[in-house]
Amino acid sequence: MCVKCDYTIHRASHHFGWNRDFEPVLTARPGSTIHFECLDSSGGQFDASSTVEHVPTLDFDKVNPVTGPVYVEGAMPGDALKITLRHFEPSGLGWTANIPGFGLLADQFTEPALHIWKYDAALMAPALYGPGGRVPLKPFAGTIGVAPAEPGLHSVVPPRRVGGNLDIRDLAAGTTLYLPVEVEGALFSIGDTHAAQGDGEVCGTAIESRMDVEATIELIKYARLESPRFTTPGPVTRHLDEAGYEVTTGVGPDLMTAARESVMRMVDLLAADHGLKPVDAYMLCSVCGDLRISEIVDMPNWVVSFYFPRIVFN
């Protein structure tokens, strides 16, 4: 329990999707600090005893639950919420899955796979993966947003102008996020917490892990913000870059094809060098490797690079 928080919202107060007509579970003053109890992206469908046989039974109507919504007093369309992420309280348990039909290389990895992670929630030491792998952890919220102006229920799966399933790994403790407000009260919600993720989340899942989040919500009037923006408190790769990277590339006229090729080549490299099954290498890329656009000006070909941190196997 957060002794410095003004409010607590328990994980039972969650919803699926975004809707301007959802009843708020809390009305908060700007400047309030709130303790959110968040569920993992499966909504508790996976636990420590789950096996690969449970992956095809995943109920997609119950994925990505978000805790809230919070009605922020005085928030009106054209304003912005300023959300400072104060603290994450991890659970010590997580999962990563290859879900058939989902992910950047879904056409190549058609069978389900599941890895259950157990990590020290107090020390947050790197989590073990396969023979010799240790993945540095960095808790963050994958889904964080406010209600869109358009009426009706909107899926929680895609990111939106007002936030949502952004899956930006740098929305971690100390980061300040700004979200455009489209409806009165904003109706802020948060969830889909992760223990670690690479930029791109290439297999479609990270280390999905239930956590509590403490955040301060402030109001900026007349901000006229067009889309989310955020400020980090310092470097964003220091937990990964101490031993350098192995990097593979994709080169060609289509960014998506180049992205796929760069990941495929890293999967092949990790499988060959570390004895991983290709699907295990693929899931590992999703939790700690980074997709980057290296060059997008020298037409007709662009360069996409995939960076894998060497520290994982050092």
Side-chain angles (χ1 to χ4, degrees), residues 33-271:
T33 298
I34 303 172
H35 184 103
F36 295 88
E37 294 182 349
C38 297
L39 293 161
D40 72 282
S41 63
S42 78
Q45 295 182 69
F46 293 140
D47 59 28
S49 64
S50 295
T51 65
V52 68
E53 285 74 22
H54 292 96
V55 175
T57 70
L58 184 67
D59 185 348
F60 276 84
D61 289 334
K62 298 179 180 179
V63 301
N64 273 21
V66 284
T67 300
V70 176
Y71 183 101
V72 180
E73 292 180 349
M76 297 295 292
D79 298 340
L81 293 190
K82 176 183 177 183
I83 302 104
T84 301
L85 298 163
R86 301 287 183 191
H87 178 66
F88 287 78
E89 294 181 14
S91 62
L93 182 71
W95 59 272
T96 304
N98 183 59
I99 301 170
F102 189 51
L104 185 63
L105 304 181
D107 58 325
Q108 298 184 35
F109 294 97
T110 59
E111 296 298 319
L114 180 68
H115 181 79
I116 299 297
W117 303 81
K118 296 179 181 179
Y119 60 91
D120 190 318
L123 297 178
M124 293 300 286
L128 298 178
Y129 187 91
R134 296 174 60 85
V135 174
L137 304 180
K138 181 180 179 179
F140 74 98
T143 303
I144 180 168
V146 297
E150 184 180 354
L153 181 64
H154 303 272
S155 172
V156 77
V157 174
R160 301 180 182 279
R161 194 183 79 87
V162 289
N165 193 19
L166 298 172
D167 283 327
I168 299 173
R169 72 142 184 240
D170 298 322
L171 297 181
T175 292
T176 299
L177 172 68
Y178 300 84
L179 293 173
V181 174
E182 290 192 352
V183 303
E184 181 180 342
L187 298 180
F188 173 84
S189 301
I190 184 172
D192 182 28
T193 43
H194 302 87
Q197 180 199 289
D199 283 337
E201 197 186 22
V202 294
C203 88
T205 58
I207 300 183
E208 313 290 331
S209 183
R210 176 178 60 81
M211 298 185 189
D212 292 358
V213 184
E214 296 169 12
T216 300
I217 302 177
E218 299 174 86
L219 181 63
I220 301 176
K221 298 296 291 182
Y222 317 116
R224 306 298 180 189
L225 191 64
E226 293 296 328
S227 64
R229 72 173 182 88
F230 60 95
T231 302
T232 73
V236 296
T237 62
R238 186 161 289 168
H239 68 300
L240 293 173
D241 62 11
E242 294 176 1
Y245 293 87
E246 298 290 347
V247 184
T248 50
T249 64
V251 181
D254 182 82
L255 283 175
M256 182 59 75
T257 299
R260 284 169 48 84
E261 289 177 350
S262 69
V263 175
M264 286 187 284
R265 288 162 186 156
M266 184 57 71
V267 167
D268 291 344
L269 181 64
L270 293 176

Side-chain angles (χ1 to χ4, degrees), residues 243-312:
Y245 293 87
E246 298 290 347
V247 184
T248 50
T249 64
V251 181
D254 182 82
L255 283 175
M256 182 59 75
T257 299
R260 284 169 48 84
E261 289 177 350
S262 69
V263 175
M264 286 187 284
R265 288 162 186 156
M266 184 57 71
V267 167
D268 291 344
L269 181 64
L270 293 176
D273 286 358
H274 300 286
L276 295 173
K277 295 179 181 178
V279 70
D280 291 330
Y282 180 42
M283 291 193 294
L284 186 58
C285 284
S286 194
V287 302
C288 61
D290 296 332
L291 267 177
R292 300 182 185 177
I293 297 176
S294 296
E295 184 273 305
I296 198 171
V297 295
D298 295 328
M299 64 177 62
N301 292 331
W302 327 127
V303 180
V304 178
S305 301
F306 191 85
Y307 285 66
F308 186 86
R310 291 167 53 86
I311 196 171
V312 171

